[in-house]
Amino acid sequence: MTGKNRLLDVRGLTVEIETRRGPAVIVDGIDLHVDKGETLGVVGESGCGKSLTMLSLMRLLPNKIRVAKGEAHFDGRDLQKMSNRELRKVRGGDIGFVFQDPVTSLNPVMRIGDQLAEPLIYHRGMNRKQARERAIELLRLVGIPGPEERIQAYPHELSGGMRQRVMIAIGLACEPKLLIADEPTTALDVTIQAQIVDLVKGLREKLGMSVVWITHDLALIAGLVDRVVVLYAGTVVEDAPVDALYASPRHPYTRGLLASIPKLSDAPASRLNSIGGTPPEPGRRPQGCPFAPRCPLAMDICRTHVPKLEPVSAAGSHRAACFAVEKALEAA
Amino acid sequence: MAAEPLLKIENLVKHFHVRLGAFGERAATVHALDDVSLDIVEGETLSLVGESGCGKSTTGFTILNLHRATSGKVLYKGQDLTALDEKRMRRFRRDLQIVFQDPYSTLNPRMTVGEASGEPILFHNLAPKAELEAKVAALLTDVGLPPRFASRYPHELSGGQRQRVAIARALACQPKFIVCDEAISALDVSIQAQIINLLLDLQEKYRLTYLFIAHDLAVVRHISTRVGVMYLGRLAELASRDALFETPLHPYTKALLSAVPETDPEHERSRKRQILEGDVPSPLAPPSGCRFHTRCPIAMEVCRRVVPKWKEARPGHLVACHAVNGE
């Protein structure tokens, strides 16, 4: 399956957290890949490991959390084996990041122009004047009015939507091959969210970059991504082209998630098909399939064995990790 | 509307006086709520939507007298709540409850679930102490928690379970009306659906009236009887759920609806969004005339000067917009 087209290839990534009772697995052997020019949506609820997975690629994990196993190849090189010096060249250079909360991610005592110029000077060897001009260009690119004056502003002088645009501009500063956006619109209002989604769509085409969009919102990414990876309790439960995922979700968790979202066609005040129970706490995963305790289709085998991510479509592009799905396919 | 409304809100205004500048040298006024009038009918779910700072939460707080109204009236059972002092208000608190967004900060971490849910019963003298345990068990069952949870502490619960406890607390004194202030916004999608179902079940069982404050329009469309759209402290539009979502009149409502994504990739890729330019202006200095005119795609000269009237454009469909003709 690996071709020249593969930009990011993560295999068997396992992340552990140190606890008093010894190491606990919070990301359990995740496989995922992103092709050149592709936009991948990574979906899951809080605590499923979606942010940690992406942070671990860049070795930006907080204290006491570490990568236990796994490889992550970016453009043919293993990120986990790079020296810190090499990795610094990749961070913010070939891989751009946009975090959820611009308030904590931007430096409050630095003018936004300087924060934009920093990666350009570091990664692209620009001088201050060039970097300043490029910073103005970038602010214009992300739709900030009056960029010549705005580069003088401090983060607190901007609105939430504007700050998130600045974050995106920083992420894009060095024209990365890959942009990783971690819930970039979660803190924003819906009309501003629409602006940001439109902005990233436009820039992706203009710059030809790949995008990983991490989110909990299946509706938000429907029109934005090419493929979706669904995470549950630190494992990939389904990986599918976007149309296939929404039209025929195979994993019971994905189905439950989609059914939980109110739709236009619902009768007013009808009951939603919610998933019972709550996700396991990180580090307290049940034996067998992590979704089994909440799964309406759970069988005996689900409680003892962990299902592998296996193709469920003829083309093999749609994969799910579920024993019940295999059963359904065999029966069909 | 034939029935007498449960709550009648008339020309409600809430201004906050703040001090700005590093030394608080400049006085300013936040126009959080300006001239909001609406009726809340018994048994309905009236939702208020809008973006941050639009005044939807302030409306809920001011109705419950948690914020003192600057002017205007809130009529409940013929009594103007805004005229009551805290002591006389207490009698009405039994009937008028609230559930907040973040149950982690609203529940006392040192009180067990049982103590927290039983507190309102004791406070309002609704049951003798001997019956308290049974009452609490019934309450917890009502909100879908096993009665043995009574001895647990909030930190032992998940977010969804904590929100159930917060709902149990609100239910404890058998209220008529509950303000749900972003009550499901902090929850994960699968848990959110559980809590929505719970709220719907309880409404049916106890004939509750909800003021549902939210920014998630998909959820609002699902549970509401009527929906009000707010922008920068004013009501822009108020209509039945179907009228609002199918034939919105106000340009802001239209833009808001067009920004809501659906779980349908094909539809999402092909749909033309009407994207609003810019940000919501500061409530410290709201624009003159119609507050939406700075971002409105069809703004006219009059919109800059004159505040549009709150008028009934169609039966039961109210709107404040110069571009919409009343009947």
Side-chain angles (χ1 to χ4, degrees):
Chain A
M1 291 239 306
T2 322
K4 276 233 150 44
N5 237 351
R6 194 133 299 179
L7 184 64
L8 179 71
D9 198 352
V10 178
R11 288 202 201 146
L13 185 78
T14 303
V15 178
E16 286 177 350
I17 182 165
E18 251 176 68
T19 70
R20 272 175 298 175
R21 281 161 288 156
V25 174
I26 37 182
V27 172
D28 191 7
I30 279 186
D31 290 338
L32 59 85
H33 62 88
V34 185
D35 287 340
K36 282 177 189 159
E38 185 183 40
T39 300
L40 175 72
V42 177
V43 177
E45 299 181 279
S46 26
C48 75
K50 53 193 191 297
S51 297
L52 281 179
T53 302
M54 291 305 152
L55 287 176
S56 64
L57 295 184
M58 291 284 83
R59 300 219 298 262
L60 291 172
L61 288 174
N63 261 345
K64 297 198 170 173
I65 299 182
R66 61 190 170 83
V67 173
K69 273 195 300 228
E71 296 168 21
H73 292 273
F74 175 73
D75 226 4
R77 294 182 298 162
D78 191 345
L79 293 168
Q80 301 299 326
K81 294 205 175 97
M82 278 185 191
S83 67
N84 281 332
R85 176 191 270 264
E86 284 174 304
L87 197 61
R88 268 202 298 273
K89 289 280 169 208
V90 178
R91 289 186 195 138
D94 284 343
I95 300 182
F97 269 90
V98 179
F99 295 102
Q100 176 174 348
D101 183 6
V103 181
T104 52
S105 312
L106 291 171
N107 186 337
V109 295
M110 211 170 150
R111 294 181 196 276
I112 61 165
D114 295 332
Q115 299 192 50
L116 269 162
E118 208 172 35
L120 294 167
I121 294 167
Y122 182 82
H123 290 292
R124 295 291 177 259
M126 289 186 184
N127 62 33
R128 293 209 74 82
K129 191 165 172 285
Q130 290 168 322
R132 184 177 174 278
E133 258 150 42
R134 176 79 182 130
I136 293 172
E137 237 172 77
L138 283 163
L139 288 183
R140 192 171 289 127
L141 188 73
V142 296
I144 293 185
E148 292 85 357
E149 295 86 55
R150 287 300 171 103
I151 57 164
Q152 297 294 330
Y154 288 97
H156 76 268
E157 296 174 277
L158 304 176
S159 68
M162 285 295 159
R163 278 196 289 256
Q164 197 52 278
R165 282 161 191 269
V166 171
M167 283 294 293
I168 292 174
I170 294 175
L172 293 174
C174 299
E175 298 188 0
K177 293 175 183 158
L178 177 66
L179 183 73
I180 297 177
D182 187 359
E183 305 248 16
T185 63
T186 305
L188 303 176
D189 280 316
V190 57
T191 59
I192 311 295
Q193 173 176 294
Q195 289 175 1
I196 300 284
V197 168
D198 248 46
L199 171 71
V200 172
K201 268 189 193 172
L203 292 174
R204 174 184 65 185
E205 269 137 50
K206 213 186 241 169
L207 305 173
M209 64 184 174
S210 306
V211 179
V212 175
W213 190 289
I214 304 171
T215 184
H216 65 278
D217 187 345
L218 273 165
L220 176 68
I221 56 166
L224 173 73
V225 303
D226 303 309
R227 200 157 51 83
V228 182
V229 164
V230 182
L231 296 185
Y232 184 78
T235 57
V236 176
V237 294
E238 189 155 3
D239 177 347
V242 64
D243 293 283
L245 188 95
Y246 290 82
S248 54
R250 291 307 181 85
H251 197 283
Y253 175 63
T254 318
R255 283 190 219 164
L257 215 49
L258 280 166
S260 299
I261 302 170
K263 272 159 224 71
L264 203 55
S265 48
D266 289 343
S270 58
R271 290 184 61 89
L272 289 166
N273 296 308
S274 61
I275 308 175
T278 46
E281 274 173 58
R284 287 196 186 176
R285 298 149 36 80
Q287 207 194 353
C289 170
F291 188 59
R294 301 176 76 191
C295 182
L297 304 176
M299 305 170 292
D300 285 342
I301 185 174
C302 305
R303 295 186 188 95
T304 50
H305 291 74
V306 180
K308 283 200 180 69
L309 193 62
E310 275 167 3
V312 290
S313 70
S317 57
H318 190 160
R319 298 183 300 159
C322 178
F323 293 118
V325 165
E326 279 176 17
K327 275 233 146 136
L329 275 189
E330 275 164 27
Chain B
M1 245 150 274
E4 183 67 11
L6 181 74
L7 276 155
K8 232 174 143 52
I9 290 123
E10 290 175 359
N11 310 97
L12 202 60
V13 175
K14 177 66 199 172
H15 290 171
F16 293 99
H17 299 285
V18 293
R19 306 206 62 92
L20 299 176
F23 304 100
E25 69 278 16
R26 272 183 301 140
T29 305
V30 178
H31 299 250
L33 205 60
D34 260 323
D35 201 14
V36 167
S37 300
L38 53 90
D39 291 351
I40 302 174
V41 184
E42 193 171 356
E44 79 167 339
T45 300
L46 175 66
S47 293
L48 287 180
V49 300
E51 299 177 280
S52 16
C54 72
K56 52 192 194 297
S57 289
T58 308
T59 308
F61 275 60
T62 314
I63 289 175
L64 297 184
N65 231 341
L66 296 171
H67 286 330
R68 287 260 154 216
T70 306
S71 67
K73 284 182 182 166
V74 177
L75 295 166
Y76 176 71
K77 289 186 174 168
Q79 171 68 50
D80 180 9
L81 299 180
T82 61
L84 297 176
D85 59 28
E86 195 44 50
K87 206 171 157 198
R88 285 192 296 153
M89 181 68 203
R90 227 166 263 167
R91 185 158 67 89
F92 292 96
R93 296 237 178 267
R94 246 193 82 176
D95 288 356
L96 314 170
Q97 286 289 317
I98 185 164
V99 177
F100 297 97
Q101 171 168 4
D102 178 12
Y104 204 74
S105 54
T106 47
L107 293 177
N108 186 335
R110 295 183 194 182
M111 269 169 113
T112 62
V113 168
E115 285 164 356
S117 356
E119 194 182 32
I121 301 179
L122 292 178
F123 183 84
H124 290 287
N125 280 321
L126 298 176
K129 266 202 162 152
E131 288 171 29
L132 189 63
E133 202 176 322
K135 286 261 179 205
V136 166
L139 262 180
L140 293 182
T141 313
D142 256 349
V143 296
L145 291 173
R148 65 186 153 80
F149 269 48
S151 59
R152 299 205 181 169
Y153 286 92
H155 76 265
E156 299 175 83
L157 308 180
S158 69
Q161 289 166 339
R162 276 197 289 262
Q163 198 55 291
R164 287 176 191 268
V165 177
I167 295 172
R169 245 176 94 84
L171 275 183
C173 41
Q174 297 156 351
K176 299 264 189 306
F177 171 72
I178 300 181
V179 174
C180 302
D181 185 14
E182 303 270 11
I184 53 154
S185 308
L187 305 171
D188 270 322
V189 186
S190 70
I191 309 301
Q192 206 175 356
Q194 292 173 6
I195 301 295
I196 292 172
N197 286 342
L198 173 65
L199 288 172
L200 290 172
D201 290 347
L202 293 171
Q203 180 169 46
E204 201 178 291
K205 193 165 171 192
Y206 297 113
R207 206 174 151 69
L208 294 168
T209 306
Y210 292 138
L211 178 68
F212 194 84
I213 295 162
H215 62 268
D216 184 337
L217 285 152
V219 169
V220 164
R221 188 174 53 203
H222 188 81
I223 70 155
S224 308
T225 320
R226 289 189 301 149
V227 183
V229 179
M230 296 188 71
Y231 186 79
L232 219 58
R234 284 185 192 275
L235 269 171
E237 188 162 5
L238 177 70
S240 73
R241 161 198 126 112
D242 288 345
L244 192 102
F245 281 98
E246 277 153 36
T247 52
L249 297 174
H250 198 285
Y252 177 62
T253 311
K254 290 179 186 169
L256 206 57
L257 294 180
S258 125
V260 180
E262 294 269 343
T263 49
D264 180 349
E266 220 177 293
H267 171 72
E268 281 299 311
R269 280 190 295 261
S270 58
R271 101 193 245 186
K272 278 265 163 286
R273 275 183 208 292
Q274 182 201 336
I275 297 206
L276 283 182
E277 304 263 316
D279 288 315
V280 182
S282 163
L284 282 170
S288 60
C290 172
R291 291 187 176 176
F292 185 57
H293 83 252
T294 53
R295 297 171 82 197
C296 183
I298 55 166
M300 305 173 291
E301 166 56 26
V302 61
C303 306
R304 279 172 252 279
R305 291 182 288 107
V306 184
V307 178
K309 276 208 194 69
W310 184 232
K311 63 195 171 207
E312 194 162 9
R314 293 176 190 156
H317 194 148
L318 292 113
V319 66
C321 178
H322 290 299
V324 177
N325 292 317
E327 265 173 29

